[in-house]
């Protein structure tokens, strides 16, 4: 939000969840130019994971009739085809509110609840078709990796691909090497695959966010990136904050249309830097990734 020419919210310090097709980051920001990456993915980004999940889970006609290549958005719409939810989203405000208030506003649209124990989570994750999509890294190193801020999504992506591709043996509880025909997977099962895979990915990020808040306190969490437009993600994240005592933390969710607008993000960052008195020379070199810890020391083109 703006007051005059200066952005008023969120106030520093705050935590950001950057979730997109190219990044999955937890960032702590003290000032406009001081940012520290607390956690990141060790393999693929959450957006890439969900895009690939969508391409194997969604029915061919949904993919064919989808608008563009926003497969993650198609996955959410397919899993939660609720007209009332879509109508509510179109009129919802985008100002920051507390996690508790967000949950109260959207609890009638989702059946999601945060599991009380790890055992309860594992039991809930098992579908009636036999497959289960668990949180990434939940069992790595005896569960120790679930306590740090590292994230990973390649294993979840593979688990979904295998569940779609191979038949499940009910007697052994394991996948077989017998491939499934597309028509063998019902619409109901595909919807469950869409919801369960998103839930596992979103709980993974939400759990890391809780760990980050415990070690690096902040009063606001900012959602950014294309995956941030997913309202199920917003609800899982807010519910997890409430469950772990962070219900009064403010969650700043931008309008979904701006979540994937990289030009708007870059322009806004440039506007704030300019208003704060920062200005680069014209010989600045364009680079694909500008490290957060080098905001004030950009690479300069060498002159011959």
């Amino acid at each position: 939000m703006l007051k005059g020419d200066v952005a008023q919210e969120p106030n520093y310090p705050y935590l950001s969840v950057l979730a997109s097709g190219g990044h999955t980051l937890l960032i702590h920001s003290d000032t406009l130019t001081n940012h520290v990456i607390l956690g990141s993915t060790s393999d693929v980004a959450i957006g890439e994971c969900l895009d690939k999940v969508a391409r194997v889970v969604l029915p061919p006609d949904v993919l064919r009739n989808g608008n563009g290549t926003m497969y993650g958005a198609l996955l959410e719409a397919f899993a939660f085809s609720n007209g009332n939810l879509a109508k509510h989203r179109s009129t919802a405000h985008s100002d920051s509110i507390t996690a508790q208030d967000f949950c109260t506003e959207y609890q009638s649209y989702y059946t999601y609840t945060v599991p009380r124990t790890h055992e309860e989570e594992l039991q809930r994750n098992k579908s009636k078709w036999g497959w289960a999509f668990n949180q990434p890294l939940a069992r790595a190193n005896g569960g120790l990796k679930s306590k740090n801020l590292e994230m990973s999504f390649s294993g979840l992506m593979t688990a979904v691909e295998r569940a779609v591709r191979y038949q499940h043996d009910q007697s052994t509880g394991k996948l077989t090497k017998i491939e499934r025909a597309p028509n063998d997977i019902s619409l109901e099962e595909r919807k469950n695959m869409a919801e369960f895979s998103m839930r596992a990915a979103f709980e993974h990020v939400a759990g890391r966010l809780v760990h980050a808040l415990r070690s690096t306190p902040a009063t606001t969490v900012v959602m950014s990136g294309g995956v941030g437009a997913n309202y199920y993600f917003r609800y899982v994240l807010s519910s997890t904050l409430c469950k772990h005592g962070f219900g009064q933390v403010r969650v700043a969710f931008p309008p979904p249309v701006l979540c994937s607008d990289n030009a708007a993000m870059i322009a806004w960052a440039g506007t704030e830097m300019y208003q704060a008195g920062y200005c680069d020379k014209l010989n600045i070199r364009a680079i694909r990734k500008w490290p957060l810890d080098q905001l004030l020391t950009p690479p300069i083109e060498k002159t011959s």
Side-chain angles (χ1 to χ4, degrees):
M1 294 186 297
L2 293 178
K3 185 176 182 181
D5 290 327
V6 182
Q8 295 297 302
E9 290 189 14
N11 296 318
Y12 295 103
Y14 60 82
L15 290 181
S16 297
V17 177
L18 172 54
S20 68
H23 302 280
T24 311
L25 300 172
L26 293 176
I27 306 165
H28 182 263
S29 300
D30 276 325
T31 67
L32 179 62
T33 59
N34 186 22
H35 311 279
V36 177
I37 296 176
L38 302 177
S40 63
T41 176
S42 59
D43 41 56
V44 301
I46 186 173
E48 180 180 348
C49 170
L50 295 181
D51 279 357
K52 290 186 176 179
V53 165
R55 278 180 271 182
V56 298
V57 167
L58 295 180
D61 62 310
V62 174
L63 287 171
R64 187 168 52 251
N65 298 327
N67 184 17
T69 57
M70 302 292 287
Y71 299 117
L74 289 177
L75 191 70
E76 179 191 11
F78 177 71
F80 302 102
S81 51
N82 186 320
N84 291 329
L85 172 60
K87 183 178 179 180
H88 183 85
R89 286 176 48 169
S90 67
T91 59
H93 53 74
S94 59
D95 295 346
S96 65
I97 59 176
T98 66
Q100 182 62 65
D101 287 342
F102 186 87
C103 288
T104 300
E105 184 174 349
Y106 285 91
Q107 63 185 355
S108 62
Y109 300 109
Y110 299 106
T111 59
Y112 175 79
T113 56
V114 182
R116 292 169 295 179
T117 64
H118 182 56
E119 290 70 24
E120 181 181 303
E121 176 191 337
L122 293 177
Q123 183 62 34
R124 178 210 59 185
N125 290 348
K126 188 173 182 179
S127 71
K128 65 180 182 181
W129 290 277
W131 47 259
F133 303 148
N134 297 315
Q135 272 196 54
L137 302 182
R139 297 179 178 177
N141 288 356
L144 293 178
K145 283 199 172 184
S146 65
K147 304 298 183 182
N148 64 29
L149 300 183
E150 177 187 350
M151 292 172 279
S152 171
F153 299 95
S154 61
L156 173 61
M157 192 167 62
T158 300
V160 176
E161 290 173 339
R162 287 175 55 81
V164 171
R165 183 175 180 181
Y166 296 110
Q167 294 182 17
H168 185 267
D169 188 332
Q170 295 289 348
S171 62
T172 64
K174 297 180 179 180
L175 292 175
T176 69
K177 293 184 179 181
I178 304 173
E179 295 194 0
R180 309 172 77 178
N183 292 337
D184 291 341
I185 309 175
S186 67
L187 188 65
E188 180 188 6
E189 183 177 1
R190 289 184 183 275
K191 283 181 176 289
N192 276 183
M193 285 179 165
E195 179 182 349
F196 285 25
S197 58
M198 285 191 292
R199 184 177 67 196
F202 298 159
E203 285 184 335
H204 184 45
V205 176
R208 269 41 181 186
L209 176 60
V210 167
H211 289 315
L213 283 169
R214 285 172 175 165
S215 60
T216 313
T219 58
T220 302
V221 171
V222 176
M223 177 75 79
S224 61
V227 184
N230 189 306
Y231 270 70
Y232 188 44
F233 189 12
R234 299 180 180 198
Y235 189 76
V236 170
L237 187 146
S238 297
S239 298
T240 304
L241 291 178
C242 292
K243 180 68 174 180
H244 293 279
F246 295 103
Q248 294 309 305
V249 167
R250 299 192 72 80
V251 286
F253 298 135
V257 69
L258 295 180
C259 287
S260 57
D261 192 336
N262 289 332
M265 298 178 203
I266 295 169
W268 184 259
T271 297
E272 289 211 11
M273 293 287 287
Y274 180 76
Q275 290 179 346
Y278 295 100
C279 187
D280 295 312
K281 296 181 179 180
L282 294 180
N283 65 340
I284 186 173
R285 181 163 59 93
I287 56 176
R288 188 171 68 91
K289 291 185 178 181
W290 193 326
L292 286 172
D293 57 358
Q294 296 182 33
L295 288 181
L296 301 183
T297 56
I300 303 296
E301 284 188 351
K302 294 182 179 180
T303 57
S304 55

